[in-house]
Amino acid sequence: MIYEFIAPCHFGMESVLKREIIDLGYEISKVDNGKVYFKGDEAAIARANTFLRTAERVLIKCAEFRATTFTELFDAVELIGWSQFVPKDGKFWVAKAASVNSALFSPSDIQSIIKKAMVKSLSKVYKIERFPETGASYPFRVFLMKDIVTIGLDTTGESLHKRGYRKLVSKAPVAENLAAAMIMLTPWKSDRILIDPFCGSGTIPIEAAMMAANIAPGMNRNFLSMDWDNIIRRKSWYNVSDEANDLVNLNVETDIQGYDIDGDIIKSAKQNAALANVDKLIHFQKRPVSELSHPKKYGFIITNPPYGERIGEKELLPKLYTEFAESFKRLDDFSAYIITGYPDVEKYMGRKADKNRKIYNGMMKTYYYMFMGKKPPKRDKERQ
């Protein structure tokens, strides 16, 4: 059976996720704000959850229709063939509802009405009034945009950004899927230098090392749909697990470095890297940004520096960004990619960014500033 899937992502990172899905071999059906729609078979459930680095989760699109009243919502939901998704003993609920520019805007009411309509619809099929809900979990998510209702079945469970390696975190860590997207928006490849001078618990260097070693982000965790024998066969999960394991290459040579001024945080970063099985691919060190250096040229700085939220005192930021700028100027032909909500980045960097992209980090609006260095000579590229 061919399904249409919905993959939510950080606002501003849709193009990165789209490219990932195409690279997996699936057809894109639509790109929306914070979502990419694509088509695939049952194996796509396992492959998308296992391999996508920048998605939040993977939903099976169950229905899309217009509704401006709760009666219209109930009637439309009741007509959907829910038994193709939920077995007789399935535990099902509406885990989340979100509404933008729609007549129906109360999430709790939307959730309640949809659940009641689903129960009524399934009662007719299974000939029961009360559902045991003792089986596998089937959470649904609902989006309303300009009165168009979209209902998706969540195949993932806990968000895809939770790879399983980050047991110890700094005060304001960047999410794993956002860190991956930041890296993928740059020309960095595994044979190039990457430095994060504000590495915190190590997320950006770890995500880079996982890419370098071809470690699928979801290969060491579980997903809700692993228990859905009515939708996806267990064999599909075994096949994807074999595919992911076959791709891993821990012998790759890398130059990935993470620095932070906090020694305890560096210890945490090392532990997280070990849990991700990439500790041998990253050099972590306690080092202030004023001592940022590298003997070689044409490297990449990719980082999430403090911007007032993490250190709590905005008056310290001018000095911090000035030191960062001075260190960056000493790094010959390096490029810097900085995600931050601090508005004076270009002022202290002493130049206008070559590009910037607005990205929502959770509910916070940030900008991804791109300060490009020179490209390496063509002969160096050919050797790489």
Side-chain angles (χ1 to χ4, degrees):
M1 182 174 178
I2 299 299
Y3 297 97
E4 185 172 21
F5 298 98
I6 308 168
C9 63
H10 286 273
F11 283 89
M13 293 302 192
E14 298 86 356
S15 62
V16 184
L17 177 55
K18 177 184 175 182
R19 188 169 73 240
E20 272 201 282
I21 293 168
I22 291 170
D23 288 345
L24 273 183
Y26 299 115
E27 175 191 349
I28 303 295
S29 50
K30 186 170 75 169
V31 178
D32 209 344
N33 289 330
K35 299 181 191 72
V36 180
Y37 295 67
F38 66 100
K39 294 181 179 178
D41 57 9
E42 67 167 74
I45 298 171
R47 295 188 75 239
N49 275 300
T50 301
F51 289 109
L52 291 180
R53 298 184 187 277
T54 61
E56 291 282 349
R57 58 188 66 249
V58 179
L59 312 173
I60 297 174
K61 182 181 169 184
C62 303
E64 189 171 277
F65 54 87
R66 179 180 172 83
T68 57
T69 69
F70 285 120
T71 299
E72 289 177 349
L73 179 65
F74 186 97
D75 291 346
V77 172
E78 187 187 353
L79 290 174
I80 297 162
W82 295 108
S83 59
Q84 66 181 305
F85 304 113
V86 182
K88 194 172 184 177
D89 66 345
K91 180 181 179 183
F92 62 101
W93 72 101
V94 181
K96 184 176 181 181
S99 178
V100 178
N101 297 331
S102 298
L104 303 178
F105 55 84
S106 167
S108 59
D109 289 336
I110 292 165
Q111 289 169 287
S112 176
I113 292 293
I114 290 177
K115 174 67 186 259
K116 287 176 182 176
M118 291 172 70
V119 168
K120 186 173 180 181
S121 177
L122 287 167
S123 294
K124 294 175 183 176
V125 177
Y126 294 128
K127 310 299 182 187
I128 55 175
E129 293 297 323
R130 287 185 171 273
F131 288 83
E133 300 201 46
T134 54
S137 295
Y138 296 81
F140 292 85
R141 289 179 171 247
V142 184
F143 312 96
L144 279 78
M145 171 62 75
K146 296 181 180 177
D147 299 325
I148 301 299
V149 182
T150 305
I151 304 177
L153 172 57
D154 181 9
T155 72
T156 303
E158 197 168 36
S159 174
L160 286 176
H161 80 268
K162 296 191 175 179
R163 322 291 204 211
Y165 66 74
R166 202 164 73 177
K167 305 298 183 186
L168 302 157
V169 299
S170 51
K171 291 180 182 176
V174 63
E176 294 91 325
N177 58 343
L178 180 54
M182 288 167 58
I183 297 164
M184 292 166 75
L185 278 171
T186 78
W188 179 80
K189 301 294 180 189
S190 60
D191 56 358
R192 303 284 295 277
I193 302 158
L194 187 152
I195 303 173
D196 181 356
F198 302 99
C199 74
S201 48
T203 307
I204 292 172
I206 291 170
E207 289 293 319
M210 288 176 69
M211 289 181 197
N214 264 333
I215 298 173
M219 67 182 294
N220 293 316
R221 55 159 289 179
N222 294 319
F223 305 99
L224 272 184
S225 47
M226 286 177 165
D227 296 325
W228 296 357
D229 53 13
N230 62 316
I231 293 176
I232 176 170
R233 292 166 293 181
R234 177 63 65 170
K235 183 181 178 182
S236 293
W237 290 104
Y238 293 146
N239 290 342
V240 172
S241 178
D242 290 343
E243 180 185 358
N245 278 296
D246 288 346
L247 290 171
V248 175
N249 176 19
L250 292 175
N251 294 318
V252 63
E253 291 188 12
T254 59
D255 190 344
I256 301 171
Q257 303 183 27
Y259 306 137
D260 201 281
I261 197 169
D262 187 330
D264 290 333
I265 286 294
I266 287 294
K267 288 178 185 176
S268 298
K270 289 178 178 179
Q271 291 176 51
N272 290 339
L275 287 169
N277 202 26
V278 293
D279 48 315
K280 292 181 174 60
L281 302 179
I282 308 169
H283 172 68
F284 286 111
Q285 185 180 352
K286 178 183 176 182
R287 184 188 290 193
V289 71
S290 58
E291 295 177 14
L292 174 61
S293 63
H294 197 285
K296 296 181 181 178
K297 301 170 70 167
Y298 310 117
F300 292 80
I301 296 169
I302 306 176
T303 192
N304 172 42
Y307 41 93
E309 301 298 318
R310 181 160 58 182
I311 62 176
E313 296 184 35
K314 291 185 184 294
E315 59 267 24
L316 297 178
L317 296 181
K319 179 176 183 292
L320 187 75
Y321 279 87
T322 299
E323 289 177 346
F324 183 17
E326 289 171 352
S327 296
F328 177 50
K329 287 172 187 174
R330 294 195 299 268
L331 287 166
D332 198 12
D333 297 325
F334 267 57
S335 298
Y337 296 81
I338 306 164
I339 190 169
T340 179
Y342 186 53
D344 295 329
V345 172
E346 292 171 315
K347 172 184 172 183
Y348 290 105
M349 292 297 283
R351 58 183 271 201
K352 188 172 176 60
D354 296 285
K355 295 180 184 177
N356 76 61
R357 178 186 289 246
K358 182 164 61 176
I359 296 166
Y360 281 87
N361 185 3
M363 296 303 292
M364 182 178 293
K365 183 171 71 174
T366 63
Y367 287 89
Y368 194 34
Y369 295 93
M370 306 179 187
F371 299 92
M372 310 298 196
K374 291 180 182 178
K375 293 181 180 179
K378 193 171 183 180
R379 63 180 181 275
D380 289 349
K381 284 186 180 179
E382 290 171 351
R383 282 202 300 266
Q384 289 173 353

